[in-house]
Amino acid sequence: MTSKKLLRGRLLNFISEPTGPEDKDAFSYIEDGALLICDGIIVGSGDYNEVAKIAGDVEVIDHRPHLLMAGFIDTHLHFPQMHVIASWGTQLLDWLNNYTFPEEARFSDEQHCARMAGEFFDQLTAHGTTTAMAYCSVHKQSAEAYFSEAERRNMCMIGGKTLMDRNAPDNLQDTPQSGYDDSKDLIAKWHGKGRAHYAITPRFAITSTPEQLEMTSALVAEHPECFIQTHLSESHDEIAFTAELYPTARDYLDVYQSYGLLSDKMFLGHAIHLKPREIDALAETAAHPVFCPTSNLFLGSGLFDDAGLRSRGISNAIATDIGGGTSYSMLTTLSEGYKILQLQGQKMHPLRAFHWITLGNATTLGLQDKIGNLATGSDADIVVLDSSATRPMDIRMETATTLSEELFILQTMADDRSIAETYVAGVAQKHSQSN
Ligand code: GUN
Ligand code: ZN
């Protein structure tokens, strides 16, 4: 039986990255718009009257006056860190040792993995996020739980078992061989199954021996279809320790580069304190730095140079980095990101901001044909935004006269209370309907 529905509301869809506030070619905005969804795919998109005509007899879900957009995409966060958010008083390396590693060790327990996977995906969709790229723990079973839950919900999710074989507690280490074998098994089982994608996941240089990075290099060569995720230059202490561990590397990025890991499939969390050669190498290899605003502020890591990297043609992704990050909301992430750019005299226009967390992140992932936009043929991952969800927002909206103003209010003031609904492959996640 085919499942068909028509969503009605104000429609905002990006076509390309807006070059400025007046770049009307970069997006379409339809005041009375509609999306026709059939079996999880958008099969009609445009003016309500026109789409309704082709829809025939179909259930109409009227979301007016709310805004319909592509679901948000979070390109860097940690599945086993739901209990790590809001851990007091430390910066990166102490935060990892004191809070994060003990929490991640709990993911050796399958029951804990299963429970947390349910909670994790509930939080993502409650916050309007329909695709994410997450680090699982070192344990294979954490990745199993993650992908199983994503499959159950039919979500387009990317993830991988973390590779880490030193500088962590014994119960949180693999070996170069076991990390390789477990990753191979997980790739064979999950990559390309339904909507799942695998990310080969060496945590960072500090927790991998050269032998492990050698094996990671083999994995990447054997699986060029997979993503690769790691961390880069988040804190000064981390950079100094990395230099001690890899004394022949030209710089931090060179550790990964010398093992052939850099390509447009690679996502490097943080990338804050970069040397000119590292920026050149990012530009040459098309690897993606990932801006993690709430985490960078919370851990006191530093200010991401978005404009500097962009001026070199580097395409930056943006993400929450739960649990160094403090909110699951990509809207809150934009709000804090805006302030980080302000501190450096840089700007984040709301049109660019909303493009970034949808089509922008989708494009860095190479998944723009499926997610991040509302074009016909895309997967029906959709967020419904209420710009007046709270009293302060409602009052502020009284004086908003343009779409950009409304978006900036959402970007600055909204959180999960503004997520009126989230659709994953056409299925409502917050309020069950006849799906
Ligand atoms: N570097 C290595 N592991 C982590 C992590 O879990 N969180 C953050 N923010 N940085 C890291
Ligand atoms: Zn991270």
Side-chain angles (χ1 to χ4, degrees):
M1 204 187 74
T2 57
S3 104
K4 215 167 154 191
K5 59 173 69 108
L6 190 67
L7 310 188
R8 185 174 189 178
R10 294 185 295 131
L11 220 61
L12 174 62
N13 184 38
F14 289 98
I15 296 148
S16 60
E17 181 178 322
T19 52
E22 300 309 322
D23 185 3
K24 298 276 193 294
D25 294 338
F27 65 95
S28 71
Y29 173 67
I30 303 172
E31 195 63 39
D32 188 7
L35 294 170
L36 179 61
I37 300 169
C38 188
D39 290 339
I41 308 287
I42 297 173
V43 297
S45 179
D47 284 320
Y48 172 76
N49 285 329
E50 282 165 31
V51 179
K53 235 183 272 166
I54 60 161
D57 188 16
V58 65
E59 178 193 11
V60 179
I61 301 156
D62 193 346
H63 284 297
R64 289 175 301 169
H66 299 334
L67 205 50
L68 305 182
M69 284 186 64
F72 303 148
I73 301 170
D74 186 348
T75 53
H76 180 124
L77 79 170
H78 297 260
F79 161 47
Q81 294 183 13
M82 295 190 84
H83 288 106
V84 181
I85 306 168
S87 293
W88 187 82
T90 52
Q91 296 206 345
L92 178 64
L93 297 181
D94 289 337
W95 173 84
L96 283 171
N97 288 318
N98 297 350
Y99 298 117
T100 308
F101 291 160
E103 241 347 290
E104 293 199 6
R106 294 172 65 200
F107 284 71
S108 61
D109 173 1
E110 270 177 38
Q111 275 186 350
H112 184 64
C113 292
R115 177 192 159 219
M116 296 318 295
E119 299 283 1
F120 186 72
F121 287 97
D122 280 352
Q123 286 310 312
L124 292 185
T125 52
H127 287 80
T129 295
T130 49
T131 288
M133 179 152 70
Y135 292 61
C136 299
S137 72
V138 71
H139 315 95
K140 190 180 184 184
Q141 54 270 36
S142 73
E144 283 288 348
Y146 174 87
F147 283 118
S148 300
E149 189 63 25
E151 181 179 52
R152 205 175 68 72
R153 297 176 189 230
N154 199 13
M155 286 178 77
C156 175
M157 293 294 292
I158 307 158
K161 172 213 122 59
T162 296
L163 299 160
M164 48 194 297
D165 70 340
R166 68 168 165 183
N167 290 318
D170 288 346
N171 61 358
L172 209 59
Q173 289 187 35
D174 54 10
T175 66
Q177 190 62 50
S178 74
Y180 173 90
D181 292 343
D182 287 351
S183 302
K184 276 298 245 203
D185 290 349
L186 288 163
I187 292 167
K189 179 164 177 191
W190 291 108
H191 185 79
K193 184 166 186 227
R195 304 185 73 196
H197 300 261
Y198 197 82
I200 297 166
T201 307
R203 182 175 207 121
F204 66 161
I206 290 176
T207 47
S208 284
T209 58
E211 294 71 33
Q212 179 157 73
L213 290 186
E214 197 69 58
M215 297 293 263
T216 305
S217 173
L219 270 176
V220 169
E222 290 158 20
H223 296 283
E225 70 281 12
C226 290
F227 294 100
I228 312 156
Q229 57 180 349
T230 191
H231 296 86
L232 174 71
S233 295
E234 181 177 1
S235 85
H236 294 295
D237 290 349
E238 171 205 16
I239 295 167
F241 191 17
T242 301
E244 275 175 39
L245 294 169
Y246 287 94
T248 60
R250 288 173 289 179
D251 44 53
Y252 192 161
L253 186 63
D254 195 39
V255 175
Y256 304 135
Q257 194 174 9
S258 63
Y259 288 98
L261 304 184
L262 300 197
S263 74
D264 65 351
K265 287 286 202 183
M266 186 170 207
F267 287 72
L268 298 136
H270 309 292
I272 297 168
H273 310 286
L274 300 177
K275 302 196 172 69
R277 195 211 72 82
E278 294 176 292
I279 297 172
D280 291 345
L282 289 171
E284 276 160 29
T285 59
H288 304 285
V290 187
F291 181 23
C292 304
T294 68
S295 172
N296 297 162
L297 292 169
F298 181 75
L299 292 174
S301 301
L303 307 179
F304 182 84
D305 182 11
D306 178 56
L309 294 170
R310 280 159 59 83
S311 74
R312 297 294 312 277
I314 294 167
S315 54
N316 301 324
I318 184 165
T320 63
D321 191 32
I322 291 294
T326 50
S327 171
Y328 292 90
S329 170
M330 289 303 291
L331 298 171
T332 304
T333 298
L334 288 176
S335 176
E336 300 306 292
Y338 178 88
K339 296 169 196 169
I340 288 181
L341 300 198
Q342 275 282 48
L343 282 169
Q344 302 171 93
Q346 300 179 15
K347 293 215 185 308
M348 188 201 290
H349 190 275
L351 283 170
R352 185 200 158 211
F354 278 85
H355 170 270
W356 204 355
I357 61 173
T358 55
L359 185 59
N361 273 347
T363 305
T364 62
L365 293 163
L367 297 175
Q368 67 278 7
D369 291 343
K370 292 272 175 217
I371 59 171
N373 70 91
L374 303 176
T376 301
S378 292
D379 294 339
D381 291 348
I382 298 152
V383 66
V384 182
L385 292 168
D386 177 358
S387 306
S388 297
T390 63
R391 191 71 197 124
M393 292 180 77
D394 197 29
I395 292 169
R396 178 61 183 86
M397 278 297 290
E398 289 171 5
T399 57
T401 57
T402 66
L403 175 66
S404 286
E405 275 183 275
E406 179 181 358
L407 292 177
F408 194 56
I409 290 165
L410 278 165
Q411 167 184 336
T412 308
M413 301 177 78
D415 52 31
D416 55 322
R417 289 168 292 180
S418 282
I419 309 299
E421 187 54 276
T422 304
Y423 290 89
V424 170
V427 176
Q429 305 292 305
K430 292 190 90 154
H431 308 96
S432 54
Q433 294 157 349
S434 54
N435 294 307

